[in-house]
């Protein structure tokens, strides 16, 4: 297998997932600042033009972060980061869906339509007038999740899962591009500190992000 890698929270969450599972793959770097992900030869592999992408052993390609992580979990089931039983896997997928719908999706578009507008202009349909409302939706989602996490160290309970890794990659990134976590959200703040202390958090940062003080 081969991992098509780049700067950004999406590739980072897959890198962190692989580090937590002890998976090492050859990688190919794609320069998203030059929009190399939006033209051939990359879009011949992933026509959506998004990062990252995984080349499988049969020569086919798999994109979308959750799909990539679920595939890697099936190939390398231990340690289980999605779940060891049908019930655990269903619970993790439920929380992934909630995290994406309530927090990371509006958070990401809020960034793209505002601070990231110069980069994404011409690459996506941008709605700058929606940026503030999308950021507000993400903050509301964080406040809701803070209440849900009372008394538990991770999103799904006692154990780290893909839901935590996904949210962490985006909350850390957002924190340095105009959407810091509200410090009054004590449960989420403790969770964020707990996640940031894991060796995989620092090890998953892209070299360009490290050099520029970014979190991606």
């Amino acid at each position: 297998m081969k991992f098509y890698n780049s700067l950004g929270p999406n590739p980072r969450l897959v890198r962190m997932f692989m580090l937590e599972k002890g998976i090492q793959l050859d990688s190919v770097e794609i320069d998203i600042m030059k929009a190399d992900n939006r033209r051939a030869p990359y879009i011949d592999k992933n026509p959506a033009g998004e990062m990252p992408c995984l080349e499988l052993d049969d020569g086919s390609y798999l994109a979308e972060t959750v799909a990539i992580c679920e595939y890697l979990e099936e190939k390398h089931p231990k340690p289980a980061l999605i779940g060891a039983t049908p019930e655990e896997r269903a619970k993790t997928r439920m929380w992934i869906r909630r995290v994406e719908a309530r927090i990371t999706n509006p958070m990401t578009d809020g960034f793209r339509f505002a601070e990231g507008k110069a980069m994404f202009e011409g690459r996506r349909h941008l709605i700058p007038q929606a940026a503030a409302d999308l950021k507000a939706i993400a903050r509301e989602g964080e406040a809701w999740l803070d209440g849900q996490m009372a008394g538990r160290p991770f999103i799904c309970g006692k154990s780290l899962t893909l839901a935590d890794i996904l949210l962490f990659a985006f909350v850390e990134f957002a924190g340095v591009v105009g959407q810091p976590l509200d410090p009054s959200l004590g449960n989420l703040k403790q969770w964020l500190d707990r996640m940031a202390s894991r060796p995989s958090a620092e090890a998953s940062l892209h070299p360009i992000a490290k050099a520029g003080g970014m979190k991606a």
Side-chain angles (χ1 to χ4, degrees):
M1 288 188 285
K2 188 181 298 182
F3 184 61
Y4 287 80
N5 186 42
S6 73
L7 186 66
N10 278 308
R12 186 193 182 190
L13 81 86
V14 178
R15 293 194 302 268
M16 188 170 177
F17 184 84
M18 291 194 292
L19 284 162
E20 289 284 346
K21 293 184 76 70
I23 298 171
Q24 294 184 342
L25 298 177
D26 292 336
S27 64
V28 177
E29 196 69 24
I30 303 297
D31 191 341
I32 62 170
M33 303 305 290
K34 294 181 179 178
D36 286 349
N37 57 312
R38 299 292 177 171
R39 51 177 169 258
Y42 183 76
I43 60 168
D44 297 331
K45 302 169 178 63
N46 179 12
E50 304 292 351
M51 298 298 302
C53 178
L54 185 66
E55 182 177 344
L56 307 185
D57 290 337
D58 64 2
S60 62
Y61 298 91
L62 181 65
E64 308 304 333
T65 56
V66 173
I68 291 171
C69 291
E70 291 208 356
Y71 176 79
L72 292 173
E73 176 106 338
E74 291 197 24
K75 298 288 282 187
H76 305 271
K78 293 182 179 180
L81 293 179
I82 296 174
T85 66
E87 292 78 14
E88 288 177 355
R89 289 190 288 273
K91 187 174 182 180
T92 301
R93 289 168 180 144
M94 173 183 75
W95 279 104
I96 286 171
R97 176 60 182 157
R98 289 171 172 174
V99 163
E100 289 182 323
R102 289 175 175 260
I103 303 173
T104 63
N105 288 350
M107 173 186 283
T108 303
D109 277 337
F111 164 73
R112 288 172 179 150
F113 298 168
E115 292 84 0
K117 183 172 177 285
M119 177 179 175
F120 287 97
E121 207 141 31
R123 303 187 193 187
R124 288 177 173 270
H125 182 110
L126 302 182
I127 313 172
Q129 63 272 25
D133 284 337
L134 287 163
K135 292 178 183 182
I137 290 169
R139 289 194 301 272
E140 291 164 4
E142 288 174 330
W144 175 81
L145 182 59
D146 182 76
Q148 297 297 310
M149 288 187 66
R152 61 184 196 241
F154 297 104
I155 292 173
C156 293
K158 296 180 180 179
S159 300
L160 175 79
T161 69
L162 176 56
D164 298 287
I165 295 170
L166 187 156
L167 181 61
F168 175 72
F170 281 89
V171 169
E172 271 232 319
F173 174 76
V176 296
V177 292
Q179 297 182 70
L181 183 67
D182 183 343
S184 71
L185 302 179
N187 294 322
L188 265 187
K189 179 62 172 62
Q190 290 178 22
W191 166 87
L192 183 62
D193 293 342
R194 192 176 301 119
M195 291 295 295
S197 71
R198 300 184 75 87
S200 62
E202 178 70 19
S204 62
L205 286 170
H206 193 280
I208 293 175
K210 282 187 179 183
M214 298 172 64
K215 294 288 186 178

